[in-house]
């Protein structure tokens, strides 16, 4: 559902989402990101500021009405509202022409399942030929939907037990095109490193130290190959216990 900020002042997306939560599938807005040539999701936790006349998408329940109250306005607010200290991993992917991003937040109030206002799926109104996303660690039911198979651009996880959480990551990309993933890692506990596992190549890339790159001979699509680990030690294949729920065989 395409709507916009009707006021001549900024509004706070968090206020709009929380006030309309009963009429929304999830507390999230999708906005066009010209730099990425793609829609980017902002969840309530991002506290995103929507400019005057800015258009954005929401997913309403059964075409319910969405109300943009006057108390959502903030005459003096700017993008500085978004500059808060977060524990997060930002996965920036490029094929040399287009850019995509997936975000993993670590928050005290988050769970391994769906948390409204803390999770946001990728824009799915049209097929995306290039994408990076994660799946939730725990399948959840919400607003009449199941999270099974949903591609999330933003996922939030508990700000604890980092070493026990392995995040399934998916890539959609054409064959024979180099894909590069760079991680921006902010405010993780001391000593925790971020590794990207490739179960086809049997490799672990320390994203804390450098980028991951791949040129696949076949089209990339779906999960089961790539995983994000947060560990305090260097990983090798001998360190990993496979979870059969997230194992696929590629031939």
């Amino acid at each position: 559902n395409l709507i916009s900020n009707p006021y001549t002042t900024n509004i706070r997306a968090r206020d709009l989402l929380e006030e309309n939560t009963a009429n929304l599938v999830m507390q999230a807005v999708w906005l066009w990101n010209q730099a990425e040539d793609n829609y980017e999701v902002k969840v309530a936790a991002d506290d995103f500021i929507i400019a005057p006349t800015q258009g954005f998408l929401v997913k309403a329940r059964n075409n319910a009405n969405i109300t943009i109250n006057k108390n959502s306005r903030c005459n003096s607010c700017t993008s500085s509202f978004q500059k808060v200290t977060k524990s997060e991993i930002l996965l920036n992917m490029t094929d040399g022409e287009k850019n995509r991003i997936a975000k993993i937040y670590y928050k005290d109030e988050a769970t391994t399942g769906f948390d409204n206002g803390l999770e946001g799926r990728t824009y799915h109104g049209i097929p995306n030929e290039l994408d990076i996303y994660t799946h939730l660690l725990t399948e959840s039911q919400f607003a009449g939907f199941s999270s099974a198979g949903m591609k999330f651009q933003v996922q939030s996880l508990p700000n604890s037990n980092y070493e026990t959480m392995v995040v399934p990551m998916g890539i959609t990309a054409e064959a024979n095109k180099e894909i590069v993933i760079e991680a921006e890692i902010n405010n993780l506990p001391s000593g925790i490193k971020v590794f990207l596992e490739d179960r086809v190549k049997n490799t672990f890339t320390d994203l804390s130290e450098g980028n991951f790159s791949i040129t696949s001979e076949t089209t990339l699509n779906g999960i089961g190959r790539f995983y994000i680990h947060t560990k305090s030690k260097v990983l090798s294949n001998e360190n990993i216990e496979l979870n059969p729920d997230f194992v696929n065989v590629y031939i």
Side-chain angles (χ1 to χ4, degrees), residues 120 136 191 206:
L136 300 185
D206 184 352

Side-chain angles (χ1 to χ4, degrees), residues 151-223:
K151 303 173 181 179
F152 285 87
Q153 188 180 71
V154 176
Q155 178 174 179
S156 295
L157 293 170
N159 196 17
S160 61
N161 301 320
Y162 281 76
E163 306 219 17
T164 65
M165 295 185 292
V166 180
V167 181
M169 186 191 79
I171 294 175
T172 302
E174 297 177 358
N176 302 312
K177 200 160 192 176
E178 185 182 30
I179 298 296
V180 179
I181 298 175
E182 178 184 8
E184 181 181 338
I185 303 166
N186 298 312
N187 302 306
L188 297 193
S190 177
I192 291 291
K193 294 178 177 288
V194 178
F195 296 89
L196 193 160
E197 178 189 7
D198 182 339
R199 291 188 179 172
V200 171
K201 299 289 187 179
N202 292 319
T203 60
F204 291 88
T205 301
D206 184 352
L207 296 178
S208 311
E209 300 293 335
N211 298 340
F212 170 83
S213 63
I214 183 173
T215 303
S216 177
E217 297 179 356
T218 59
T219 299
L220 296 174
N221 193 17
I223 64 164

